[in-house]
């Protein structure tokens, strides 16, 4: 009984309606005079889905599903484009089929696929057309968790600026609270789905009553805000979607939202690919006829090179407005009958067969905390394939602690199996599975023959079982001792884990001794973190020391997409031991990351600060697979039209944060905080806050309508959480908690009623509940049926039936 109750959070509300054979009028005060006989079918139960549905759906989807069901109450009049809102999937279910789950129709996945705004509805009685009262049947009860009604969108503009490998996205939109009466107000939840490695940079919201704007502060700045109210806000959802809430928006009013974020350009098949979530569902299209729905997209591309850009694909009809060497601009604007129904995709390539190299310089502004000049070195792959791959020694370290159970481990195994098939015959490999102990496929490196790879796959199926704790030092030392003994191959070590350990700083210091030799024999370390409990800065530091790469899957669903890309880096290894000749001529310089990674056939970007003067041409050197020296002339030029400080900020902040963690250096922490404040990029040592200001009406002598609610008072500060990854959670790792992002909870924590549900009273109420009452009503006389249904309505008003639906199995079946 207890386990079922803990899962069940069914929101419900009763609507008192009347059969079509009887007429009934409703007064403006919503008082009801019962002039005809009611039966139990006159009360409509509109539930959300519980966690016990055949296929689990998240709370956010259930809340949107309930909101769409609620929006069916809204009437828009005969002169509108549609009499009702778009229909949600059917959730009706007859009493006779309550016990059969096969008859249930599962809800759609309503996760945001574009910037969205939702009305948060706890009291369903406020749902109505704010322009024309439709006198809908009165609704009793409340929604717990609150229902989310997607608001109608009245305009959307997206501007994207692409520089090197980074895109900066600004979305401005207008939404109207079309579903709440003009005399009521509701909170609104705003969803921001972002692309690859998306990071929120800024938020501005304007409503009738309030305005909101974001800024970054340090813990020291919090003392200046002692006189303002502080609350927490914001959460991260699967799919890299950020959610936050604004309060008390008037029914019928409009919300103007501006959101800024940065994301990475993907690189695949010699193309730079931009992907921005821009798929709007049908139910955000305004229903009123004659509404102008303006959709606008502006795209600017600056590759940082002097090479021609070749456009390969665009999902939307863009018009070219500017073209010059290394730069392109496009625009699209239209009045649409339907909002964009697909993700905004744009891909381009650079017209070059050989590797492209460049070094860009940037002079800091007068307000820059660091007055040293900036530089950015890049290598972009050409269209020519790598003539010969490096001979490799590859060791895969995979975490099999208890927290990796099920999907994390299965997805990691699938990626590992795929990576084994990419090895060449002359390569060698081994697999080490670890928890508090280690299991090795072989006592030494094995040749990557078809037979040995088949044996390794069978060994993984039999031995990779998630259980136990986590020990990282033991498998790392074992792997380092195993590789680098022959001078003919480059060692690669891939570490896959979802946990944090207490001795991570000691591990880094020990690994430094293994990586002192910077020659070809020095192992290349690749790290992959799963979920939010592992220390991602520890994993980044290991990768930086080993000239390798780091990546992460913060939710389990993205492992199958991101991990194979990281593992395939070894097969596309192009240049090893890269150096830049011009650096030693400078007075001083600092690199981010501090050691230049190898070139793995995808864009390589290294930034830094320096004092001195660069020559006009510098040389980049490295080694190819046949161990011959490779050099390329790199032209040095100013970064015209590229905000290099913003483009490189994320890379520099992550590198400095990893060093600050490793060295426990307070000065580096302060340096990161200053950079975050100056450029406006999240960090571990700053907070993003949302400053709320209440608008108040001006004095009576003001006659300008635009001055209404113009003055701001009563400032309130909301802390936006989950904008940084943190330094791991050792306690969660010891407890073997499953990795992933903690899903947003829209409801309040369960109180004493949930505790009471696990008691013996639940057994009684399971036999004496609304389902039993409804069945009894069908067998009793009319007068008694009226009395019982009126009693149910009264109980719903006092939320007594909420207890019934929470703890009664039969009621839960009915609600589903």
């Amino acid at each position: 009984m207890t386990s079922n109750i803990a899962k069940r959070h069914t929101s419900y509300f009763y609507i008192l309606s009347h059969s079509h054979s009887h007429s009934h009028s409703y007064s403006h005060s919503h008082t009801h005079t019962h002039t005809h006989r009611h039966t139990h079918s006159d009360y409509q139960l509109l539930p959300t889905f519980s966690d016990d549905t055949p296929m689990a759906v998240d709370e956010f989807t259930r809340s949107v599903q309930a909101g769409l069901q609620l929006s069916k109450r809204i009437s828009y009049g005969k002169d509108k484009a549609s009499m009702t809102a778009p229909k949600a999937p059917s959730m009706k279910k007859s009493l006779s089929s309550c016990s059969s789950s096969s008859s249930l129709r599962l809800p759609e996945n309503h996760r945001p696929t574009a910037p969205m705004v939702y009305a948060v509805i706890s009291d369903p009685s406020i749902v109505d057309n704010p322009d024309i009262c439709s006198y809908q049947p009165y609704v009793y009860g409340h929604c717990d968790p609150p229902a989310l009604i997607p608001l109608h969108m009245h305009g959307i503009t997206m501007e994207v600026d692409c520089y090197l490998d980074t895109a900066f996205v600004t979305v401005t939109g207008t939404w109207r609270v079309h579903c709440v009466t003009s005399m009521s107000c509701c909170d609104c939840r705003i969803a921001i789905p972002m692309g690859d490695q998306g990071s929120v940079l800024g938020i501005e919201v304007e409503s009738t009553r309030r305005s909101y704007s974001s800024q970054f502060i340090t813990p020291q700045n919090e003392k200046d805000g002692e006189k303002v109210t502080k609350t927490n806000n914001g959460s991260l959802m699967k799919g890299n979607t950020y959610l936050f809430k604004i309060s008390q928006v008037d029914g019928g009013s409009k919300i103007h939202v501006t959101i800024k974020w940065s994301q990475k350009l993907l690189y695949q098949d010699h193309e730079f690919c931009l992907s921005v979530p821009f798929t709007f569902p049908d139910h955000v299209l305004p229903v009123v006829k004659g509404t102008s729905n303006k959709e606008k997209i502006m795209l600017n591309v600056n590759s940082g090179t002097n090479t021609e850009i070749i456009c390969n694909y665009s999902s939307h009809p863009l018009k070219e407005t500017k073209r010059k060497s290394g730069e392109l601009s496009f625009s699209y604007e239209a009045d649409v009958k339907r909002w964009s129904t697909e993700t905004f995709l744009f891909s381009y390539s650079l017209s070059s067969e050989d590797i492209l190299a460049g070094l860009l310089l940037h002079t800091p502004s007068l307000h820059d905390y660091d007055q040293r000049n900036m530089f950015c070195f890049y290598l972009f792959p050409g269209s020519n394939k790598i003539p010969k791959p490096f001979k490799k020694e590859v060791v895969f370290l995979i975490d099999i602690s208890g927290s990796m159970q099920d999907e994390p481990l299965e997805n990691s195994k699938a990626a590992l199996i795929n990576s084994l098939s990419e090895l060449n015959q002359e390569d060698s490999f081994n697999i080490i599975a670890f928890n508090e102990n280690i299991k090795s496929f072989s006592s030494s490196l094995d040749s990557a023959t078809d037979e040995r790879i088949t044996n390794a796959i069978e060994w993984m199926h039999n031995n990779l079982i998630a259980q136990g704790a986590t020990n990282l030092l033991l498998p790392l030392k074992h792997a380092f001792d195993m590789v680098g003994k022959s001078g003919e191959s480059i060692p690669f070590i891939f570490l896959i884990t979802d946990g944090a350990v207490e001795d991570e700083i000691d591990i880094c210091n020990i690994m430094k001794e293994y990586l002192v030799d910077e020659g070809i024999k020095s192992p290349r370390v690749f790290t992959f973190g799963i979920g939010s409990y592992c220390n991602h800065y520890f994993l980044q530091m290991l990768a930086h020391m080993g000239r390798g790469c780091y990546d992460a899957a913060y939710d389990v669903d993205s492992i199958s997409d991101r991990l194979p890309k990281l593992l395939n880096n070894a097969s596309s290894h192009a240049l090893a031991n890269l150096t830049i000749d011009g650096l030693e001529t400078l007075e001083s310089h600092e690199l981010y990351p501090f050691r230049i990674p190898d070139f793995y056939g995808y864009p390589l970007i290294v930034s830094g600060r320096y004092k001195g003067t660069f020559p006009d041409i510098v040389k980049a050197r490295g080694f190819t697979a046949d161990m011959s020296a490779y050099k390329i002339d790199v032209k040095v030029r100013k970064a015209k039209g590229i905000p290099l400080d913003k483009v490189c900020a994320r890379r520099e902040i992550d590198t400095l944060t990893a060093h600050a963690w490793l060295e426990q250096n307070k000065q580096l922490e302060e340096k990161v905080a200053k950079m975050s404040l100056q450029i406006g990029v999240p960090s571990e040592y700053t907070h993003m806050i949302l400053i709320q200001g209440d608008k108040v009406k001006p004095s009576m002598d003001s006659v300008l309508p635009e001055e209404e609610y113009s003055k701001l008072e009563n400032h309130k500060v909301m802390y936006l959480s989950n904008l940084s990854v943190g330094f791991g959670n050792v306690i969660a790792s010891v407890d073997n908690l499953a990795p992933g992002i903690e899903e947003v909870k829209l409801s309040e924590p369960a109180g004493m009623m949930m505790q009471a549900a696990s008691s013996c009273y639940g057994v009684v109420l399971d036999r004496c509940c609304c389902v039993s009452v409804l069945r009894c009503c069908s067998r009793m006389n009319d007068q008694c049926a009226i009395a019982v249904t009126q009693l149910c309505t009264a109980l719903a008003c006092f939320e007594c039936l909420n207890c019934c639906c929470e703890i009664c199995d039969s009621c839960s079946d009915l609600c589903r």
Side-chain angles (χ1 to χ4, degrees), residues 349-371:
S349 55
L350 301 176
S351 179
S352 177
E353 295 181 352
D354 300 322
I355 295 174
L356 283 171
L359 197 149
L360 304 175
L361 304 181
H362 175 74
T363 303
S365 66
L366 294 175
H367 304 289
D368 196 330
Y369 76 97
D370 191 343
Q371 286 298 305

Side-chain angles (χ1 to χ4, degrees), residues 388-393 426-428 484-491 520-521 624-627:
K388 180 184 178 182
F390 281 89
K391 186 178 179 181
K392 302 177 290 294
E393 299 175 353
E426 62 269 19
D427 296 335
S428 56
K485 296 180 179 178
S486 69
E488 301 176 356
S489 304
I490 292 188
I520 296 296
K521 291 183 179 181
T624 59
D626 57 4
M627 299 302 167

Side-chain angles (χ1 to χ4, degrees), residues 414-440:
L416 222 72
I417 292 171
N418 181 70
S419 182
L420 288 174
S421 65
E422 298 292 329
L423 296 177
N424 299 314
Q425 293 282 344
E426 62 269 19
D427 296 335
S428 56
F429 76 99
N430 201 354
I431 303 170
I432 299 176
F434 66 92
N435 40 36
E436 65 266 32
N437 301 307
I438 60 173
K439 297 179 182 179
S440 297

Side-chain angles (χ1 to χ4, degrees), residues 762-816:
V763 179
V764 177
L765 287 173
D766 205 17
R767 272 72 179 171
C768 182
C769 63
C770 56
V771 174
S772 303
V773 171
L774 291 177
R775 288 172 178 167
C776 291
C777 286
S778 62
R779 294 178 173 83
M780 62 178 61
N781 58 41
D782 294 340
Q783 288 79 10
C784 188
I786 292 173
V788 171
T789 51
Q790 288 176 341
L791 175 62
C792 289
T793 303
L795 290 174
C797 292
F798 289 103
E799 301 185 10
C800 293
L801 286 181
N802 195 18
C803 169
C804 176
C805 281
E806 292 281 357
I807 64 178
C808 172
D809 292 333
S810 300
C811 291
S812 175
D813 291 336
L814 175 63
C815 291
R816 288 184 294 165

Side-chain angles (χ1 to χ4, degrees), residues 193-208:
M194 298 171 287
D196 186 54
Q197 300 182 44
S199 179
V200 178
L201 302 180
I203 297 169
E204 291 182 5
V205 181
E206 287 283 341
S207 66
T208 306

Side-chain angles (χ1 to χ4, degrees), residues 305-547:
T305 70
N306 287 323
T307 306
E308 179 188 0
I309 298 176
I310 301 173
C311 302
N312 299 324
Y313 177 77
S314 175
S315 59
H316 292 66
L318 300 177
K319 179 182 178 182
E320 185 175 311
T321 58
K322 174 185 175 183
R323 174 180 285 271
K324 57 187 297 187
S325 180
E327 296 182 44
L328 280 177
S329 293
F330 301 89
S331 68
Y332 156 72
E333 184 173 359
D335 285 328
V336 296
K337 295 183 179 180
R338 189 179 184 186
W339 297 118
S340 171
T341 57
E342 56 184 326
T343 299
F344 178 69
L345 298 173
F346 182 82
S347 67
Y348 65 92
S349 55
L350 301 176
S351 179
S352 177
E353 295 181 352
D354 300 322
I355 295 174
L356 283 171
L359 197 149
L360 304 175
L361 304 181
H362 175 74
T363 303
S365 66
L366 294 175
H367 304 289
D368 196 330
Y369 76 97
D370 191 343
Q371 286 298 305
R372 293 178 297 172
N373 292 321
M374 286 189 65
F375 72 90
C376 178
F377 168 74
Y378 64 81
L379 283 182
F380 292 158
S383 57
N384 290 336
K385 292 185 177 180
I386 301 171
K388 180 184 178 182
F390 281 89
K391 186 178 179 181
K392 302 177 290 294
E393 299 175 353
V394 185
V395 179
F396 300 98
L397 305 178
I398 181 168
D399 190 343
I400 57 169
S401 60
S403 56
M404 288 285 287
Q405 191 170 5
D406 298 329
E407 196 172 359
L409 184 57
E410 293 304 317
N411 289 350
S412 300
K413 283 165 56 177
L416 222 72
I417 292 171
N418 181 70
S419 182
L420 288 174
S421 65
E422 298 292 329
L423 296 177
N424 299 314
Q425 293 282 344
E426 62 269 19
D427 296 335
S428 56
F429 76 99
N430 201 354
I431 303 170
I432 299 176
F434 66 92
N435 40 36
E436 65 266 32
N437 301 307
I438 60 173
K439 297 179 182 179
S440 297
F441 165 65
S442 176
S443 58
S444 61
L445 295 173
D446 271 9
S447 298
T449 61
D450 292 340
E451 180 183 359
R452 294 304 292 164
I453 289 176
T454 301
N455 293 341
I457 294 173
E458 183 179 353
W459 178 86
M460 282 194 291
H461 288 313
N462 294 332
N463 290 275
L464 299 194
I465 301 171
Q467 59 184 3
T470 304
N471 183 338
L472 287 175
L473 180 58
L474 184 62
L476 280 169
K477 291 180 67 174
H478 192 62
F480 273 87
D481 292 337
M482 190 177 293
V483 299
K485 296 180 179 178
S486 69
E488 301 176 356
S489 304
I490 292 188
F492 288 84
I493 296 175
F494 290 92
L495 171 64
I496 305 168
T497 184
D498 72 333
V501 293
E502 293 181 347
D503 58 345
E504 289 169 341
I505 293 178
D506 295 334
I507 291 174
C508 286
N509 293 326
I510 293 172
M511 291 303 107
K512 283 181 182 179
E513 300 177 6
Y514 285 96
L515 297 168
V516 169
D517 178 18
E518 296 187 11
I520 296 296
K521 291 183 179 181
S522 181
R524 271 59 180 170
V525 180
F526 292 75
T527 56
F528 189 83
I530 300 174
S532 57
Y533 298 141
C534 57
N535 186 346
H536 293 274
Y537 293 104
F538 161 67
L539 298 178
Q540 287 184 54
M541 180 57 68
L542 286 180
H544 291 167
M545 290 191 300
R547 289 183 180 266

